[in-house]
Amino acid sequence: MNVTLTVNGKQHTLTIEPRVTLLDALGEYLRLVGSKKGCDHGQCGACTVLIDGQRVYSCLALAVMQEGKEIVTIEGLATGDTLHPVQEAFIDNDGFQCGYCTPGQICASVALLEEVKRGCVSAVTPDLHSPPQLAELSEAEIKERLSGNLCRCSAYNGIVAAVQQVIGQKAPSPVAAVMVSESGDNSAL
């Protein structure tokens, strides 16, 4: 069947079987390979994309059901050569190690920021009648809101720091300070 998908601002008409997932349509038909196939069961979040501004595991979404929706992948977040602020923050805070989960983590982080702006609460929001504002988002809130995305390298501290940087909070440095003296005696440092 034919389906027209709007991905990263461009329309693509594909002839696909109705059972093709969005992840497979993106990778196999459109050659957008930034979204990764991790578990292929909606458990790791490596395939996270944005559909109409909300995060979705593309391995669980059928491509034919996305017609008329705005799909944004990791490839669509940057504007030309200018990275999205979340992408910049991931680099600044070493929010990745092997990088396999990074596209999904970044898309989930972008969605997290929009969710907070819309006044969405999370499971750890202390007062459900008073949603947190971006500037006051706690580390626990960030971790809870990103809990659907797993990183096998455990770069979580850098990922949380990246989100904190984007919202204007001072994050602890993800890089340990290493001081070396010219004499080679580092015991006093």
Side-chain angles (χ1 to χ4, degrees):
M1 70 183 301
N2 289 333
V3 61
T4 300
L5 299 177
T6 304
V7 182
N8 301 330
K10 296 180 183 171
Q11 287 194 335
H12 305 271
T13 300
L14 309 175
T15 302
I16 58 175
E17 291 187 24
R19 297 172 294 167
V20 172
T21 66
L22 178 58
L23 176 62
D24 288 339
L26 293 171
E28 294 176 18
Y29 292 84
L30 300 179
R31 311 313 279 164
L32 294 170
V33 295
S35 302
K36 303 298 185 212
K37 185 177 282 190
C39 67
D40 205 22
H41 290 86
Q43 297 176 350
C44 73
C47 65
T48 302
V49 298
L50 304 173
I51 298 178
D52 289 340
Q54 298 195 7
R55 61 180 115 178
V56 172
Y57 297 151
S58 62
C59 72
L60 296 181
L62 294 176
V64 296
M65 297 177 70
Q66 310 315 318
E67 197 163 47
K69 299 177 180 175
E70 183 68 36
I71 301 162
V72 177
T73 67
I74 189 71
E75 293 93 344
L77 289 177
T79 304
D81 290 336
T82 304
L83 295 177
H84 188 282
V86 173
Q87 291 172 310
E88 286 282 353
F90 266 66
I91 293 170
D92 293 347
N93 293 283
D94 197 20
F96 50 87
Q97 286 183 9
C98 82
Y100 196 81
C101 72
T102 305
Q105 296 277 4
I106 290 174
C107 285
S109 297
V110 170
L112 174 160
L113 299 172
E114 294 304 315
E115 291 166 4
V116 173
K117 288 177 186 174
R118 289 195 314 268
C120 298
V121 296
S122 79
V124 298
T125 300
D127 181 359
L128 299 181
H129 299 289
S130 180
Q133 301 298 307
L134 279 179
E136 64 191 34
L137 201 61
S138 70
E139 187 175 323
E141 283 270 0
I142 295 169
K143 288 178 178 177
E144 169 58 24
R145 291 171 187 264
L146 293 178
S147 64
N149 288 71
L150 304 179
C151 172
R152 291 193 172 103
C153 302
S154 297
Y156 296 115
N157 290 339
I159 294 167
V160 170
V163 172
Q164 289 176 313
Q165 177 180 313
V166 172
I167 60 178
Q169 294 180 358
K170 182 166 175 49
S173 172
V175 180
V178 178
M179 297 182 208
V180 179
S181 70
E182 288 186 22
S183 67
D185 179 15
N186 299 328
S187 60
L189 299 176

